Amino acid sequence: MRRNDYDISDSIRTTDPAAVGEEVVRIYRNLFPHASPRGLERAFADIARMYDGGDLAYWPCDTEYHDVQHVLDVTLAMARLMDGYQRSRDGGEPLVPDLFIVGVIAALFHDIGYLRKRNDHRHRYGAEYTITHVGRGAMFVRRYGPELGLEKREAQLAATLLHFTGYDRRPELIRISAGLPRRLGQLLGTADIIAQMSDRCYLEKCRDRLYPEFVLGRLGAPRGRSLPAFASSAELVAQTPGFYEGATRRLEAQLGRTYEYAARYFGGPNLYLDGMRRNVSYVAGSPDPALRRRPPYTLLPGVQPYPRDLFGLE
């Protein structure tokens, strides 16, 4: 039986930055045996430090849904998709080491915009940045990329890729070069969807973690912008089949069916799509599904993400 703190293949512990980093570096070395992985290694060390509050500029992560497991799971999926692309591109433009690193950095820091700065006295919770977190993350990546040795244009590309994970812009309207840069964006948008929706505890996380983030995100939303409203956490879960249909259309039409590269990586079955279908079929098959799985808890002891009683949660 697949473990709750492991990836879709039950082989990599997705709550452990070192374990995911080691696997991503392994994929990188297999593709580019003569390239240095030092930039990747530093990035995984930095993300672990930042989410655990070791960065003096940021408070530790307090978003239970958009936590370090989520970003590690998405990053692992992104590396696998890039591997599948490289091995089955059929004459398409090949990846080079720096572009692989760009893709990994974009995935690893795609939700860094949820972290609150220590001098932020306006917001109490990271989830209040739900609507603006992509833009905040892009600003961070533009500054951070050169620290890893990326050229300015590569850091800008990584920052632009983050917009493929948000819903503030339609993918086809994102200003990015055609060809491989846009394909990387499609890969990242795909990784974000398939990693979270195939999570073994996805439904429990939606009920207990995503719903409160939506409520807090509405409180912090800039004027003129809004998030979907749900009457309860149960209603959010009940709408999973509809969200799945919308996500599938996005994967097919806007993100170029790039999920197919996962099947190439795994050598046959697409484990991510299989996991997504299991989750949505479980909800669709019952008007009141029993959700008893216990997602791993990754926040630091003492970090209180929100007062749970305000959302009808135990």
Side-chain angles (χ1 to χ4, degrees):
M1 182 178 292
R2 179 181 163 201
R3 292 161 287 186
N4 295 348
D5 57 344
Y6 276 69
D7 77 299
I8 193 66
S9 69
D10 198 40
S11 61
I12 308 296
R13 190 180 181 195
T14 51
T15 55
D16 183 355
V20 175
E22 181 178 345
E23 178 62 11
V24 170
V25 168
R26 184 193 67 80
I27 293 172
Y28 177 77
R29 285 187 182 277
N30 283 344
L31 292 176
F32 313 108
H34 302 296
S36 171
R38 281 178 295 185
L40 293 177
E41 292 167 346
R42 174 179 167 178
F44 278 94
D46 286 346
I47 200 73
R49 176 176 51 81
M50 293 185 71
Y51 271 71
D52 277 349
D55 191 305
L56 297 179
Y58 292 89
W59 292 109
C61 175
D62 66 3
T63 46
E64 286 187 309
Y65 185 91
H66 292 96
D67 65 348
V68 74
Q69 184 185 24
H70 168 69
V71 299
L72 292 173
D73 214 353
V74 171
T75 302
L76 180 59
M78 179 63 171
R80 288 168 168 170
L81 290 172
M82 288 191 291
D83 179 275
Y85 167 83
Q86 184 77 334
R87 298 181 185 280
S88 60
R89 52 191 172 81
D90 296 328
E93 186 178 353
L95 276 173
V96 295
D98 283 351
L99 284 182
F100 185 97
I101 293 175
V102 164
V104 170
I105 299 309
L108 201 54
F109 292 92
H110 80 278
D111 278 341
I112 203 70
Y114 280 105
L115 297 191
R116 291 185 304 125
K117 290 188 175 181
R118 292 186 185 266
N119 61 1
D120 181 358
H121 302 294
R122 178 181 176 186
H123 304 89
R124 294 182 60 192
Y125 306 104
E128 293 178 60
Y129 285 117
T130 296
I131 286 183
T132 59
H133 80 278
V134 173
R136 296 182 78 236
M139 290 177 60
F140 172 86
V141 170
R142 276 193 295 270
R143 296 192 306 268
Y144 175 72
E147 296 182 21
L148 297 180
L150 295 180
E151 296 181 4
K152 184 177 179 179
R153 60 183 179 81
E154 294 169 337
Q156 177 60 53
L157 173 58
T160 302
L161 296 181
L162 267 63
H163 291 284
F164 285 84
T165 69
Y167 286 80
D168 56 332
R169 305 180 192 177
R170 292 171 59 87
E172 62 271 24
L173 299 180
I174 296 173
R175 298 181 64 181
I176 192 171
S177 299
L180 188 52
R182 178 165 292 277
R183 179 61 87 189
L184 284 174
Q186 293 174 328
L187 291 173
L188 180 58
T190 295
D192 189 35
I193 292 173
I194 65 177
Q196 63 183 301
M197 293 196 71
S198 64
D199 187 308
R200 189 168 187 269
C201 299
Y202 173 67
L203 300 174
E204 286 82 0
K205 287 183 175 182
C206 284
R207 180 191 63 191
D208 300 335
R209 300 181 177 184
L210 184 59
Y211 173 70
E213 288 187 21
F214 270 136
V215 175
L216 291 171
R218 289 175 64 83
L219 295 177
R223 182 176 299 179
R225 303 182 67 182
S226 62
L227 285 166
F230 302 96
S232 66
S233 58
E235 181 183 338
L236 187 153
V237 173
Q239 293 191 22
T240 298
F243 181 78
Y244 171 79
E245 292 178 3
T248 299
R249 289 193 296 270
R250 184 177 174 92
L251 289 170
E252 296 278 344
Q254 298 176 321
L255 299 176
R257 298 176 60 91
T258 52
Y259 60 78
E260 294 177 347
Y261 294 124
R264 176 64 181 86
Y265 173 83
F266 288 118
N270 194 318
L271 302 185
Y272 288 107
L273 295 191
D274 292 345
M276 290 172 62
R277 293 178 183 126
R278 282 194 297 270
N279 281 332
V280 74
S281 64
Y282 185 72
V283 176
S286 171
D288 185 23
L291 305 180
R292 302 190 181 94
R293 289 171 177 166
R294 299 177 67 88
Y297 192 79
T298 65
L299 304 193
L300 285 181
V303 172
Q304 180 61 44
Y306 35 70
R308 302 179 70 80
D309 58 316
L310 294 181
F311 305 101
L313 302 173
E314 298 179 357

